Amino acid sequence: MPGSDNQFSAGSAAPVMSVINAVKVFQGGGGVNGVSLDLLPGRVHGLLGPNGAGKTTLIRLMLGLLRPDSGELRFNGRPMMAADRRLIGYLPEERGLYQQEPVIDLIRYFGTLRGLSRLEAEAETAEIIGAERLAEWSKRKVKELSKGMQQKLQLAAAALGRPAVMILDEPFTGLDPINREEVIGHIRLLAEHGTAVLISTHTLAVAQEFCPEVTLIHRGHRLYSGPVDALRRNHRGERYWLDAEKLPDGTPSISFMEGVNGRRLVALRDGKSVNDLLRELIEAGAVVHAVSPALPSLEEVFIESVRAAELPMPGQGWAGLSTPGEFES
C-alpha cells in the first residue's frame, strides 16, 4: 500500500472529468452550492464531508441521475454527454447484487449492461473469476458469498469495460481489515491502469494514506479541494517533533509536550517560534538532534475544518455568497 507520500501518481495529465461550480438546491434546503473538483487519470481523489454535506448529491450529479441548477460537468475537456456515462463505473454504498443469481451469470449480466459484447463479457468474466479466486464459487449463488467477497465482486463488476472514471461510495463499509486491504489493492490497480478514481469515504485514515487529493465539503459548500499534504500543512499550527537529550525540566516556549512512539511532540506557546525553542534548549544545555514540523492527521483537519465553518445550507440564505472559506492549496 502507498505510504504517506500519497502515491498513485500518473503525472500532471489533464482532468478526465471536471465538476465546475455545480449548484443543486432542493425544496426545503440541502444540495450543493458552487462545488468544483477535477478527477485526473491514474489518481485517487477523496470526497470527504460529514453526513448531510452534499456528497451523495454531488455523486448523483456526476452520474447524470440529477441535473444541476447551474454549473457544468466536463468530460475530457468538453461538455459531458449522455454517451460519456458508459465510461463511468459506480460502486454504491449499498450492495446491489442479485442474491439468487449464480456468480458467473451475474458478472456476465453486468458486462452486457456496460455495453460489452457477449464475447467481451465472457472474457472479462473469466478474468474476474480468476483474479478473485472465485472458480469454486462461480456457479454458487451470490448470497453464499461472505460480505467481503460480495464487496470485491461488486467492485470488480463496476470495473467491467475498463471505465475511464470510477466513483466509489463508501467502498470500505463493513469490511474487516484483510478484506479492506484487498479492496484497496483493487483500487490501486485501477489507478495504475489509468482510471480516475473518486472515493467518498468516512475512513479518513485510509484516505490520508492513498488519496493524493481530496475535496472537503460541508453544508453543500466546498471548503477545500487539492493536495492532502497541502491541506495538512495549512493546519499544522506550531507543533513539532523533537529529538533531543538532556532536556530541562521546563522550557518557556513549550506549552505542551508528550511522548509518541519514542519521539516527543511539542506545542509552542502563542507568539513563540521554533527559533525561540531552539535557543532556550541550547542555553539550558540540551542536545538537539532534530526538529521537524508535526502535521495533523486528516481526521484532525476534517474535524477542525467542519467545526470552524459556519455555513448556511444551500437554499437557506446563501444567495450571493462568495466562495466559502477555501484554504490555500
Side-chain angles (χ1 to χ4, degrees):
M1 183 193 298
S4 59
D5 290 336
N6 282 319
Q7 297 170 9
F8 292 109
S9 174
S12 55
V16 178
M17 188 175 187
S18 297
V19 181
I20 304 171
N21 295 323
V23 174
K24 181 65 182 180
V25 180
F26 299 107
Q27 186 175 4
V32 293
N33 171 34
V35 173
S36 298
L37 62 84
D38 291 324
L39 300 183
L40 303 177
R43 304 280 282 188
V44 181
H45 192 110
L47 178 61
L48 313 177
N51 291 333
K55 300 189 299 297
T56 298
T57 298
L58 183 61
I59 287 173
R60 288 175 177 171
L61 289 171
M62 297 173 74
L63 293 172
L65 301 176
L66 293 173
R67 291 178 178 271
D69 298 330
S70 63
E72 186 179 12
L73 295 172
R74 300 187 69 82
F75 204 86
N76 287 327
R78 54 166 172 72
M80 189 169 176
M81 300 182 293
D84 295 324
R85 297 193 179 100
R86 283 191 173 272
L87 300 176
I88 302 175
Y90 174 52
L91 177 73
E93 180 176 5
E94 299 296 330
R95 292 185 179 90
L97 302 174
Y98 299 111
Q99 297 293 312
Q100 299 297 327
E101 291 297 315
V103 169
I104 193 168
D105 292 345
L106 182 74
I107 301 172
R108 289 170 180 160
Y109 173 66
F110 277 120
T112 59
L113 291 182
R114 297 286 302 170
L116 300 180
S117 69
R118 180 178 177 181
L119 288 177
E120 290 170 332
E122 290 279 355
E124 290 208 26
T125 297
E127 184 177 336
I128 289 172
I129 293 293
E132 300 299 332
R133 301 187 297 276
L134 288 171
E136 62 180 297
W137 297 87
S138 62
K139 296 183 180 180
R140 306 276 287 273
K141 292 183 178 181
V142 170
K143 68 178 183 179
E144 298 179 55
L145 300 180
S146 68
K147 290 182 179 180
M149 291 180 71
Q150 287 193 32
Q151 184 73 332
K152 289 186 288 183
L153 174 61
Q154 183 156 292
L155 177 58
L160 284 164
R162 310 194 190 286
V165 174
M166 280 287 287
I167 298 176
L168 312 177
D169 192 359
E170 295 293 349
F172 311 114
T173 298
L175 299 182
D176 61 37
I178 293 176
N179 280 310
R180 187 175 69 180
E181 289 297 312
E182 292 195 13
V183 168
I184 289 172
H186 281 279
I187 298 171
R188 288 187 66 184
L189 286 175
L190 286 169
E192 288 169 2
H193 285 92
T195 300
V197 181
L198 178 71
I199 297 179
S200 175
T201 181
H202 288 103
T203 312
L204 299 183
V206 175
Q208 176 178 316
E209 190 160 11
F210 78 107
C211 292
E213 294 91 20
V214 295
T215 293
L216 174 59
I217 62 175
H218 179 46
R219 290 180 170 263
H221 301 265
R222 185 183 73 169
L223 300 182
Y224 176 85
S225 190
V228 169
D229 291 342
L231 176 61
R232 294 173 66 202
R233 284 195 301 270
N234 288 341
H235 284 255
R236 175 175 58 82
E238 293 300 325
R239 301 195 307 173
Y240 296 87
W241 292 111
L242 175 63
D243 181 6
E245 300 176 67
K246 301 180 180 179
L247 289 174
D249 292 336
T251 303
S253 292
I254 296 178
S255 65
F256 173 80
M257 180 168 63
E258 69 172 340
V260 179
N261 297 328
R263 296 191 295 173
R264 291 182 176 87
L265 176 65
V266 301
L268 302 187
R269 299 186 187 278
D270 291 342
K272 294 294 184 178
S273 69
V274 68
N275 289 332
D276 295 325
L277 172 64
L278 290 172
R279 187 187 68 253
E280 292 168 3
L281 290 175
I282 292 171
E283 289 176 351
V287 179
V288 179
H289 299 294
V291 178
S292 59
L295 298 181
S297 69
L298 187 56
E299 183 171 356
E300 291 173 313
V301 172
F302 177 89
I303 293 171
E304 177 186 336
S305 301
V306 168
R307 285 178 175 172
E310 297 182 1
L311 298 168
M313 291 292 289
Q316 296 181 346
W318 52 257
L321 185 69
S322 60
T323 303
E326 292 188 9
F327 306 116
E328 295 179 2
S329 62

